[in-house]
Amino acid sequence: QPPKQPSPEKSATDANKPSDPYYDPMPILPLEVQRKLVDQGSQKGKGIAVFTSGGDSQGMNAAVRAVVRFGIYLGCKVYFIKEGYQGMVDGGDNIVEASWSSVSGIIHRGGTIIGSARCMDFKEREGRLKAAANLIMKGITNLVVIGGDGSLTGANRFRQEWPSLIEELKNNNVISEEAFKTYSHLNIVGMVGSIDNDFCGTDMTIGTDSALHRIIEAVDAIKATAYSHQRTFIMEVMGRHCGYLALVAGIVTEADFIFIPEWPVDEAKWQDNLCKKLETEREGGHRLNIIIVAEGALDTSGKDITCDMVKKVVVDRLQQDTRVTVLGHVQRGGAPSAFDRILGCRMGAEAVLALMDATPDTEACVVSLEGNTAIRVPLMACVEKTQAVTKAMTEKNWDLAVQLRGRSFQRNLETFKMLAKNKPPKTMPLLPTGTAAPSWNLAVMHVGAPCCGMNAAVRSFARNCIFSGNNPVGIHNGVDGLINDEVRPIKWSDTTGWVSEGGALLGTRRTLPEKNYAKCAENLKKHNIQGLLVIGGFEAFSAVSQLAENRDKYKEFRIPMVVLPATISNNVPGSDFSVGADTALNEITEICDRIRQSAQGTKRRVFIVETMGGYCGYLATMAGLAGGADAAYIFEEPMKMKDILRDLEIMAHKMDHGNVYRGLILRNEKSSENYDTDFLYRVYTEEGKGRFTVRQNILGHMQQGGWPSPFDRNVATKMAAKTVNWLCEQLTHCAAMDRDGSVHAEDPSTATLLGMRTRAYKFQPIEDVKKETDFQYRKAKVEHQWWMKLRSIMAILAQHNSTYEVEGLDPRALTDGETA
């Protein structure tokens, strides 16, 4: 069990608090969960109910679907409670048993199919008595609550009152003595559904990523018309008590100014600061400006800042053509992103298992996300911390409010402050000794195929370099560009507008240094390159590996080097995620939604879709989970003919008995040399005669195109910033300079790969990463592919027999994890 949470007021003023700039005054420790196998039918007879409460958010349906199907898989009776707490109080037809087919075809839909409503009755004891009686009538003592902090707090109070409620029901002869004993305690597990990401204890709430998609779609679209007429657009986004949406949207859309509640503008100076910023940009040749205002934005006196107020300042002082766009509930609408669908599936499965593990003495928990790990955290500790943020803001203790929001929020805020500047600082940073920090020449290049997010990484790298007093250098067109001396300095304004662009504007090639080591060394020396960032996929990993291996022959390669993984295939060893994979995953998911929709009204059709990924099955697996696929064939799990025929029969059974009319089969392009997409199409066509028709689709390079997703833009921006800090640290503390200015970085630890590993970003020596690499198939070894464990969730949700392994978690493990 986690320790008692410290008082935020005391912690914030404690003179002995840690010097860590990301110090958390109220740390929340996750609950320890033992790794174990969970078999089908192992919880037969238990009753579970799921309901959504409060504001809706995209991804709730994915969570509901996962709870229903996972509960049925374990042998439980699963119920919907419609219209939230109101349905629980009213009972009757509002509490209905769910079946496997009742959640078919909902994963791609926004909102919540079981409804959500505000309920005043539940706030009174009489209402909670009615709710308890209605649950007992159905044999329900396990609740999954999907909502915000108010909904979760209400559920916990209900759980605490349960013994007295059922005793009162027994005394009033509403329930029998037997029922009183049988249903003696209530278990609850929460999932946070909120587009605002305003709940402490989780990096991302269900719906936040989708809301960011809606925002950047709107801003990217508005930029075109703003550019045409040289306009300033002021965008209002949701976030009455939390500025997360406005903050991250500001980073990933290159907004010029943001207004958020946690970082209030100076009451007396904000008008001057805003106008100076906009004026400077127009003088620099910019034709448009974007200002993002959270609906709860404040100034330092606590007064509201509205879009109309901002517009009046811009028009009156600068006479700029200015428009206001209020996005409103558009942010709640639309289909959920791939991230939110997968998050809903993972949290739904974990919530059911948490209920099955619960005992009368178990503390109520929330299933949440930390880094890349699904965890369980104490519900009331999260609620108390969330309420502490509100209290800090009421008391105008803004620094404390930002601290309580967490490490990810703080880093996002720092990133925006730096990137939003018009030009580099006039004074350069100083070392602890008081002397000026040395100025290093740090180069960046791409190696491998282009992907979305690369440009955001280059922009962040260049501006962080300049901001820290260093000199960014761009190597155009990869290793070929280095050999041909296509090496140019990067100025602050050179990367303006790059964040929203797909592809690789710096240019990229698949060529490796082995083509001409001597020429690579010659041009590195010519431009005095002292640190190198290589952005790309497996080729980038191979390039840095080759350079490091040849340090003994070429002293020019004895510089700190780092790989930033960027490829849609997500096949770079040493990292759970690669920049670009999220955008590709969203493209595949959206295309699959459209393909299925194309068969609307056509009875019984199966689609076989081929995805990219080389020999890595990440895209096929995760797109299968996000798209509700019936099967996903990948290289890591060799398929046999019997597997194909089994899946075909399951498909036919679901269509005959499960009210399912459209099927989706995904196939990784290298899953099998002989059982290719055309073969699967012909087998399904032949065996499905009279039962369903079949179509095939090879998605090809559509998966590499499009505009970068919010996740890829943000992760690329923050990872590139980390590489600058690491390179400077290596050069300052770990490398000794000769009189001629050359750098000696021979140690293997100075050639690294930056990756997200479970719950932390880590710089890992290339030599160590090689040990977990499958060089024949250009990917990590299977035991290091974290996403493989999610395949059992996909199989269970698709009505396949499977055994699910609960993720083990040691809450004492140190973490630097954060999700965009």
Side-chain angles (χ1 to χ4, degrees), residues 66-100:
V67 169
V68 169
R69 292 191 172 177
F70 228 86
I72 292 173
Y73 162 80
L74 293 176
C76 304
K77 276 192 172 185
V78 186
Y79 294 86
F80 292 138
I81 300 178
K82 298 180 179 180
E83 313 306 336
Y85 283 112
Q86 193 64 55
M88 193 187 300
V89 173
D90 295 342
D93 293 338
N94 289 302
I95 304 177
V96 296
E97 186 171 355
S99 65
W100 190 91

Side-chain angles (χ1 to χ4, degrees), residues 562-619:
V562 59
V563 178
L564 194 162
T567 168
I568 70 168
S569 301
N570 200 32
N571 65 330
V572 181
S575 184
D576 292 346
F577 292 109
S578 295
V579 170
D582 184 71
T583 303
L585 190 55
N586 277 283
E587 291 294 323
I588 297 169
T589 303
E590 187 175 334
I591 291 168
C592 288
D593 286 349
R594 292 176 181 174
I595 287 172
R596 277 179 156 173
Q597 191 179 36
S598 72
Q600 197 77 30
T602 302
K603 202 165 186 180
R604 299 191 175 185
R605 177 163 290 173
V606 175
F607 293 96
I608 299 173
V609 178
E610 181 181 296
T611 68
M612 282 182 163
Y615 290 99
C616 177
Y618 175 85
L619 284 180

Side-chain angles (χ1 to χ4, degrees), residues 211-233:
L212 283 171
H213 273 261
R214 300 295 92 78
I215 294 169
I216 69 163
E217 286 164 6
V219 176
D220 288 351
I222 273 176
K223 281 182 177 179
T225 183
Y227 183 90
S228 300
H229 299 279
Q230 299 189 64
R231 284 178 175 150
T232 293
F233 269 87

Side-chain angles (χ1 to χ4, degrees), residues 511-709:
T511 307
L512 295 176
E514 62 188 1
K515 178 180 179 180
N516 195 333
Y517 286 121
K519 203 67 179 176
C520 289
E522 177 185 326
N523 286 321
L524 287 174
K525 181 178 181 180
K526 177 181 176 180
H527 296 279
N528 192 26
I529 302 302
Q530 297 161 305
L532 178 64
L533 168 63
V534 182
I535 304 171
F538 199 87
E539 292 87 354
F541 168 68
S542 301
V544 170
S545 179
Q546 289 181 6
L547 293 173
E549 288 169 359
N550 285 272
R551 281 173 162 174
D552 58 333
K553 299 176 184 175
Y554 302 93
K555 66 178 183 179
E556 293 81 5
F557 298 162
R558 299 169 198 167
I559 59 175
M561 296 179 283
V562 59
V563 178
L564 194 162
T567 168
I568 70 168
S569 301
N570 200 32
N571 65 330
V572 181
S575 184
D576 292 346
F577 292 109
S578 295
V579 170
D582 184 71
T583 303
L585 190 55
N586 277 283
E587 291 294 323
I588 297 169
T589 303
E590 187 175 334
I591 291 168
C592 288
D593 286 349
R594 292 176 181 174
I595 287 172
R596 277 179 156 173
Q597 191 179 36
S598 72
Q600 197 77 30
T602 302
K603 202 165 186 180
R604 299 191 175 185
R605 177 163 290 173
V606 175
F607 293 96
I608 299 173
V609 178
E610 181 181 296
T611 68
M612 282 182 163
Y615 290 99
C616 177
Y618 175 85
L619 284 180
T621 296
M622 301 304 272
L625 193 57
D630 299 278
Y633 299 125
I634 63 172
F635 175 78
E636 290 86 348
E637 286 185 357
M639 58 175 169
K640 305 296 183 183
M641 195 65 207
K642 64 179 182 180
D643 301 321
I644 297 172
L645 294 176
R646 178 205 62 197
D647 293 342
L648 195 151
E649 287 305 316
I650 292 173
M651 178 78 72
H653 177 79
K654 286 190 286 190
M655 289 189 170
D656 290 338
H657 305 286
N659 297 320
V660 174
Y661 300 106
R662 282 166 297 284
L664 178 64
I665 304 292
L666 295 179
R667 177 189 174 273
N668 167 252
E669 60 183 346
K670 299 284 190 180
S671 59
S672 173
E673 184 179 354
N674 296 307
Y675 297 153
D676 60 11
T677 303
D678 186 61
F679 176 84
L680 290 177
Y681 167 73
R682 288 185 281 112
V683 169
Y684 270 75
T685 299
E686 182 63 29
E687 297 297 323
K689 281 182 178 177
R691 294 191 284 186
F692 50 76
T693 58
V694 187
R695 298 290 185 272
Q696 63 172 316
N697 297 267
I698 298 177
L699 302 185
H701 284 77
M702 283 190 290
Q703 299 158 84
Q704 279 185 290
W707 288 268
S709 69

